[in-house]
Amino acid sequence: MKKIIAVIIAVTAVLCTFAGCGKQSMENQTSDSSSETTTIQETTEAETTEPLTEMAGYSSYEELVKDFVEAYAANDRKKTLYMQYPDDCEDIIRVKMNGEEDLDTGLADDWTEDEAISDMQYALYENYIEDEKVTFNGIVSAEPLMASEVYAIERNRDIIAGLKRYIRKKGGPDNIDRYELTEVESDIISEDISERCEIEEGYFVTFELKDENTGEVSQGVMCVFRIKGESWKVNVLDASGNVIRGRSDFADSVASRVNWAANDTLIEIDEKQLYAATHAEPATHAEAAYIAGSDDSLCFNAPESFDAAFFRERAGSYMSDISEFNWFVVVYKGAAVYCAVENKDGAGYTGVYPPNKVFNGINEKGHVDYSEKTEQKTLKELYDICAEDIGK
């Protein structure tokens, strides 16, 4: 089977299309000629965004999973959108349709409703294969969501709620275009949201798919959840080839985010901006590798000038939920070259970055060596391996 439904949960993933994941391709479609743009503009003026009445809500996640797979196989993009977004997301769709006016031609790069809906699910349908005939073959398992998964989904919903509040504040969707909302989204993501929505129930579901063309049976995964006051929804935002992107992949994606936050912090220190303002003696990066982590028990071989508490504080400014995890990074020549992360309670998988790799030290040429991670290891086991290799 060339494609299975797969799960990706990240704080900004649910709104990645507002940040421009699909904007370039759509804009190219609407800017090839002035006549094409005129057609789009005339269409959107007459078009209204109506909710799907049959999407009023699901009382069970089992029914939702089955219907989602069938809607996806049928390329029913409006239906899959409403299975993921809040029921009252019409205003967001409408803003997504609104483009900017070209000062030379006086025409706007507006989108049709179908274009907006497709762009809001850009990652899910990016590699869609119309000839593939996939049928739902039943649920294999359903495990309760882990704390980190709950946090990510709730955070996503908080961002959507913030966008809806902004649209109302501006007097409705006709007063905003998608470019303005993209800027607002960035501001919301950087905020510390104190009032968050609440997931009452949620599961990490593994299900079976059958390719009717080949008879091949494969598995897919998705998160399903029920927000207080809402019906069951799906958190599936990507489609991928023959690999099941399960919980280990989610853990690796968290490790990638921690590694990114650590590197941004190290750049900040290296440029001696914030560090110089708060310390009498700005630190310079050590040539030897060392480990910095979420607490002092996960630090090793750091230079005397390295302020671990300051490092953790600044990393938190680049990744708002970093305190939800235990983690460490291996730092070499001023850059984070390896990262491992686990949930605060130690449950679930340990994620690593680079994915599926174990740090094997620095070779004679001064390059970082890695080996394949062939089995699950705890954060402590990975830390011990790194510390031993660095200490040699």
Side-chain angles (χ1 to χ4, degrees), residues 112-338:
T112 64
E113 182 186 76
D114 287 344
E115 287 174 323
I117 286 175
S118 292
D119 197 71
M120 290 171 73
Q121 303 174 95
Y122 178 77
L124 179 61
Y125 286 98
E126 181 181 12
N127 299 310
Y128 187 82
I129 303 173
E130 291 191 13
D131 294 336
E132 189 177 49
K133 305 297 181 183
V134 178
T135 57
F136 181 72
N137 222 30
I139 292 176
V140 177
S141 63
E143 306 171 24
L145 293 177
M146 296 186 296
S148 54
E149 293 164 341
V150 169
Y151 177 90
I153 294 172
E154 290 180 343
R155 175 68 174 172
N156 287 341
R157 281 310 185 93
D158 294 334
I159 294 170
I160 294 175
L163 293 175
K164 289 160 61 180
R165 286 193 299 270
Y166 183 81
I167 293 170
R168 290 195 298 268
K169 180 181 177 181
K170 295 287 285 188
D174 292 337
N175 299 322
I176 317 168
D177 60 47
R178 58 180 174 272
Y179 303 105
E180 179 180 349
L181 207 62
T182 296
E183 296 177 3
V184 174
E185 178 203 354
S186 300
D187 294 338
I188 294 172
I189 289 171
S190 64
E191 293 175 357
D192 182 14
I193 301 174
S194 56
E195 295 183 10
R196 294 172 52 199
C197 64
E198 180 182 345
I199 291 180
E200 290 189 323
E201 191 175 1
Y203 299 97
F204 185 91
V205 177
T206 302
F207 56 93
E208 203 168 70
L209 300 167
K210 183 177 180 180
D211 188 323
E212 294 299 325
N213 292 329
T214 65
E216 181 184 354
V217 175
S218 186
Q219 287 186 340
V221 292
M222 67 172 68
C223 288
V224 294
F225 61 94
R226 183 164 53 81
I227 297 285
K228 190 174 182 179
E230 295 185 21
S231 59
W232 283 96
K233 295 290 181 179
V234 171
N235 194 81
V236 174
L237 300 167
D238 194 24
S240 181
N242 289 328
V243 178
I244 298 177
R245 299 178 62 90
R247 277 180 162 159
S248 60
D249 299 87
F250 170 64
D252 287 348
S253 72
V254 174
S256 174
R257 291 171 55 220
V258 172
N259 197 81
W260 169 79
N263 267 321
D264 270 11
T265 302
L266 290 165
I267 291 171
E268 189 176 287
I269 293 173
D270 193 41
E271 293 175 346
K272 302 178 182 179
Q273 294 174 347
L274 222 68
Y275 205 97
T278 55
H279 296 73
E281 294 292 334
T284 56
H285 291 304
E287 288 297 308
Y290 63 93
I291 302 175
S294 53
D295 61 59
D296 288 343
S297 69
L298 294 171
C299 295
F300 176 76
N301 204 44
E304 290 184 7
S305 58
F306 181 76
D307 188 333
F310 176 78
F311 178 79
R312 289 191 284 268
E313 175 192 342
R314 296 307 304 155
S317 71
Y318 292 106
M319 179 176 168
S320 60
D321 58 332
I322 199 169
S323 61
E324 302 285 326
F325 307 97
N326 299 320
W327 54 271
F328 71 83
V329 292
V330 175
V331 181
Y332 178 57
K333 292 186 177 180
V337 296
Y338 185 74

